[in-house]
Amino acid sequence: MLKIIIPTIMLMPLTWLSKKNMIWINTTTYSLLISLISLSLLNQPSNNSLNFSLMFFSDPLSAPLLVLTTWLLPLMLMASQHHLSKEPLIRKKLYITMLTMLQTFLIMTFTATELISFYILFEATLVPTLIIITRWGNQTERLNAGLYFLFYTLMGSLPLLVALISIQNLTGSLNFLLIQYWNQALPDSWSNIFLWLACMMAFMVKMPLYGLHLWLPKAHVEAPIAGSMVLAAILLKLGGYGMLRITTMLNPQTSFMAYPFLMLSLWGMIMTSSICLRQTDLKSLIAYSSVSHMALVIVAVLIQTPWSYMGATALMIAHGLTSSMLFCLANSNYERTHSRTMILARGLQTLLPLMAAWWLLASLTNLALPPSINLIGELFVVMSSFSWSNITIILMGTNITITALYSLYMLITTQRGKYTHHINSIKPSFTRENALMALHMTPLLLLSLNPKIILGFTY
Amino acid sequence: MNPLIFTTILMTVLLGTMIVMMSSHWLMIWIGFEMNLLAIIPILMKKYNPRTMEASTKYFLTQATASMLLMMAIIINLMHSGQWTITKVFNPTASIIMTSALAMKLGLTPFHFWVPEVTQGISLTSGLILLTWQKLAPMSILYQISPSINLNILLTMAVLSILVGGWGGLNQTQLRKIMAYSSIAHMGWMTAVLVYNPTLTMLNMLIYIMMTLTMFMLFIHSSSTTTLSLSHTWNKTPLTTTLILITLLSMGGLPPLSGFMPKWMIIQELTKNNSIILPTLMAIMALLNLYFYMRLTYSTSLTMFPSTNNMKMKWQFETKRITLLPPLIVMSSLLLPLTPMLSILD
């Protein structure tokens, strides 16, 4: 694992020592190379995990997330080039350093064995993200957004720290490799109910669960493009990954403790999808759609069946790529019109046809069109929740319909129709932007050919 | 002040604390405290104006009361145990009185009222000495009598201090008052774990002193005592804004910075001793502290605060010397991976 971590750390001296005209080239190239190294982890030989050392390991759940993380860094760098072009050199280097630091922490989080080390790195990802949102966001609301982001997450995760330490006292070790062999059922008592709550709330806030999701639209909307990309694609998945890891230790309370959260998620996904239909702000629409998709993941993780775990993992990867791509598309609009209002820049198909093709593909994958991996994820979740309780099919079906509605609404508003007269002087799409969209879309399409690498450890 | 006299007075302060920390006779400890108190008054009053006079008077009154209470506890201890050696205090009355006296010296709730006002009235360097060096002596006595302290009183004072330190700092814009409330909260954390594992108290003291030293050095470097003047540092030395950000986040206890280490260890120790609600409450109340640190970082490092046009020229005139700043900053932010080394504190 050090073969990925040390090159990522070394990206920081690389940025600081590069010349002015080489910083973007150097960092993007080397981060692409690092993502190539991480691809080798996808080859998981058996049902067991690949243990690299006492501190790092990778199993079929964390390997796809790791590959997604390393894949996203060059994409973030490519996306940020325009809005940083006018900043002084030192600030550009600082930005890239923040992104690289975040990347290092994320890689270490996904591969940590010891749960306390996972916790420390989970919290550590907050600091660079906060700095990216607050320092380089564009509107005054970013200050509030940073505070909401930081405090919601910290409020949820401090009980997690106490819970992890008390589990360590009970079972002797928090090393994940040991726990999977040593698992014993938690006795039924009030304090174990609170333990369950303490363990799960941190990840519920991060996912986010419907009632605790207030930080997400603020943070996603106010963050610069790289911040939005990494938030939507990876940081939300940290919550899902944490939940998937920690529910193995929390039986049998999950069978009854999960009900409130299941209800909130099932209702919340319909609520947030419906809100998307009434949004005027493009980034806000994509942010709420993230909440809706993540609610599906929460449902999948809480019902704890093999198929639902497969669906959760696939949905996380698929949503990561799709959501990140949508944010890049929204950003390409924002860079041209400096506004996030959807109707200000409509009818773009006439002006930027190639970008319209990317918009189409992104919207189609967002609404889970077959045979994309989005569909595989959603389908597995819908099927397993149907087997858990037949009535959920109504809610899930409604959600899929409304998702299709708002994805098409977004597509039609921005692409179709007559263009407004004030945008006929926008710059044509840059090759960089087209490359960015292609690099998002290609893994998504290719994975539909071999989805078993993202189906997680219950395949 | 005449350098020779200043050196003498400073040495007396040092000597007073040293006497407190190294004595085995209760009377010598009291003498050490008094020496410390009397010698630090001129240091607090380096600038001679009514504000510093008021602050020094408040400091003197509270500390003298505390010393008298300490003396009473010592006498009661003498009456009941018949000896002057420092061991744990056997009599509960004496123990309670001594705990209250030391809490008054440290600035724990409910004896915290003097800390913000005294810190605000004195200069930054004196405030630095007040908030770091002066805490060493009472803490060392608490360490030595820790087996006999009444747990209820100590934990109540600790939790209330964390609450007051967090809540009180929320309405402040003066940097010295913010540091004072932060000191109250950190003292709360330190005393909470005193009965369970005094080594962690020392660890927290060490890291707190490093972080407070760093913060004060940064404030002295930019000669700023209000949030507003701190927000102009991006004009003068943009690098210090980053350093202020890192140190403030470390003081707030965010991983992966070293300020997280004492909090984590304290939570671990408390949880091992089967108290779960207490560390959760303490951790959540520490978020209040984090809020006003974040507010400081917002005005200083994360935004470019509005300033007048000639602010950018100020860097040419700032030639304050900052001792030891780079190692301090490194130690106050990057020490977390060295956590296993805290066993050397034993």
Side-chain angles (χ1 to χ4, degrees), chain A residues 150-399:
Chain A
L150 188 68
F151 281 95
Y152 263 69
T153 317
L154 278 177
M155 238 346 189
S157 61
L158 282 169
L160 174 66
L161 177 63
V162 183
L164 282 178
I165 293 181
S166 67
I167 294 180
Q168 186 176 27
N169 287 334
L170 274 173
T171 60
S173 161
L174 275 182
N175 204 330
F176 189 69
L177 307 169
L178 276 182
I179 285 185
Q180 49 184 344
Y181 297 117
W182 204 349
N183 218 351
Q184 36 189 339
L186 278 181
D188 201 10
S189 69
W190 272 105
S191 55
N192 279 332
I193 292 185
F194 282 109
L195 185 75
W196 192 97
L197 270 177
C199 287
M200 294 299 258
M201 283 323 279
F203 304 118
M204 294 291 180
V205 170
K206 200 83 172 148
M207 281 297 278
L209 183 66
Y210 174 58
L212 304 163
H213 68 288
L214 276 184
W215 64 271
L216 187 126
K218 289 191 203 292
H220 275 101
V221 164
E222 302 303 331
I225 177 61
S228 290
M229 283 168 75
V230 77
L231 266 172
I234 313 287
L235 288 176
L236 268 53
K237 318 304 182 272
L238 267 181
Y241 173 75
M243 264 208 276
L244 281 167
R245 288 275 181 238
I246 219 164
T247 44
T248 55
M249 296 192 294
L250 289 177
N251 288 316
Q253 267 83 7
T254 318
S255 53
F256 56 88
M257 282 302 293
Y259 279 107
F261 301 102
L262 276 167
M263 294 304 121
L264 269 177
S265 301
L266 285 169
W267 185 238
M269 69 186 179
I270 297 184
M271 281 284 105
T272 43
S273 311
S274 320
I275 291 181
C276 285
L277 284 172
R278 299 294 292 166
Q279 285 293 337
T280 53
D281 186 341
L282 188 55
K283 279 179 92 163
S284 189
L285 195 151
I286 307 172
Y288 276 109
S289 103
S290 287
V291 181
S292 168
H293 286 268
M294 284 298 113
L296 275 172
V297 176
I298 297 182
V299 169
V301 173
L302 285 176
I303 55 184
Q304 292 189 305
T305 71
W307 272 44
S308 76
Y309 273 16
M310 281 199 266
T313 322
L315 194 52
M316 283 202 283
I317 306 290
H319 173 257
L321 285 167
T322 314
S323 188
S324 172
M325 182 166 180
L326 282 170
F327 273 115
C328 289
L329 289 166
N331 186 53
S332 70
N333 262 7
Y334 179 78
E335 282 172 3
R336 285 169 175 75
T337 55
H338 284 291
S339 161
R340 294 193 302 261
T341 319
M342 259 196 296
I343 54 175
L344 272 187
R346 53 179 195 272
L348 287 174
Q349 183 161 16
T350 332
L351 299 169
L352 306 172
L354 185 53
M355 202 49 86
W358 300 122
W359 271 102
L360 178 69
L361 281 174
S363 302
L364 289 179
T365 49
N366 197 21
L367 57 92
L369 195 74
S372 65
I373 46 178
N374 292 284
L375 176 79
I376 295 177
E378 284 199 25
L379 203 60
F380 278 26
V381 176
V382 171
M383 286 195 285
S384 44
S385 75
F386 179 68
S387 92
W388 175 72
S389 154
N390 291 359
I391 309 181
T392 54
I393 192 85
I394 306 177
L395 297 167
M396 293 281 179
T398 320
N399 185 41

Side-chain angles (χ1 to χ4, degrees), chain A residues 123 130 143 147 151 154 158 169, chain B residues 255 272 283 287 290 294 298:
Chain A
E123 298 285 300
L130 176 77
L143 304 174
L147 275 175
F151 281 95
L154 278 177
L158 282 169
N169 287 334
Chain B
K272 272 194 211 158
L287 285 180
L290 183 65
M294 283 310 303
Y298 273 9

Side-chain angles (χ1 to χ4, degrees), chain A residues 38-55:
Chain A
S38 66
L39 278 177
S40 68
L41 288 173
L42 283 175
N43 178 27
Q44 300 275 335
S46 68
N47 209 9
N48 226 343
S49 50
L50 284 176
N51 296 329
F52 293 104
S53 75
L54 274 181
M55 290 177 291

